[in-house]
Amino acid sequence: MPASCHATAKRLPIGSDADLAWVRQQVRQAAAELGFGLVQQTKLVTAASELARNTLVHGGGGHVEITLLDHQHPPGLQLSFIDTGPGIRDLEQAMTDGYTSGGGLGMGLSGAKRLVQEFAVDSRPGQGTTVTIAAWAAMPSPRPVSG
């Protein structure tokens, strides 16, 4: 499903650990308002947390754009994590489970990708990285009609 059409966006800075907590809180609140279930909210907040930490640690800080795709059916949430840091030299390697350049578990990018329905990375060495993800609220199944 394309992440376009009419949307409402919010921009939050990512420059400290306190900002990471604020981003997680804002993503959870937006997902809940759009009707995401608890499991969907948890997956999206986990992905957002990993990508926000990457923006801070590997990108030297940046910002996230939270876009409510609330005029679509089902509604969705798009998050773009943007930094102007050193960029990713080898994207294929960075997407490999277990690869890390910062002493972590090496599950940040690949793990975030598995938690959402749309995932895209645009990175240029020396110019920065933008990671965009999107998820859609699952609509409840219709109840069977008895009678």
Side-chain angles (χ1 to χ4, degrees):
M1 188 176 297
S4 60
C5 303
H6 187 270
T8 306
K10 178 188 291 187
R11 179 180 167 144
L12 302 174
I14 300 174
S16 69
D17 285 338
D19 291 339
L20 299 180
W22 182 241
V23 167
R24 284 191 294 268
Q25 182 180 0
Q26 292 297 301
V27 168
R28 181 172 301 281
Q29 181 179 351
E33 288 173 3
L34 290 173
F36 283 63
L38 185 57
V39 172
Q40 290 179 299
Q41 291 177 38
T42 302
K43 287 180 176 181
L44 190 56
V45 169
T46 300
S49 182
E50 291 292 334
L51 297 174
R53 181 160 297 284
N54 281 353
T55 300
L56 178 62
V57 173
H58 301 291
H63 67 276
V64 59
E65 293 174 0
I66 300 173
T67 305
L68 305 181
L69 306 171
D70 52 354
H71 289 79
Q72 299 191 30
H73 186 76
L77 191 58
Q78 178 179 290
L79 309 172
S80 293
F81 297 85
I82 301 165
D83 69 65
T84 56
I88 301 171
R89 295 205 181 280
D90 186 338
L91 185 56
E92 185 176 333
Q93 184 179 38
M95 292 298 299
T96 304
D97 284 347
Y99 173 77
T100 180
S101 62
L105 297 175
M107 302 296 284
L109 282 175
S110 59
K113 182 178 181 180
R114 285 191 291 270
L115 293 171
V116 297
Q117 286 127 345
E118 294 183 22
F119 182 93
V121 179
D122 180 21
S123 185
R124 296 185 176 100
Q127 297 182 20
T129 300
T130 299
V131 180
T132 301
I133 61 174
W136 308 96
M139 302 307 287
S141 300
R143 292 182 165 195
V145 178
S146 61

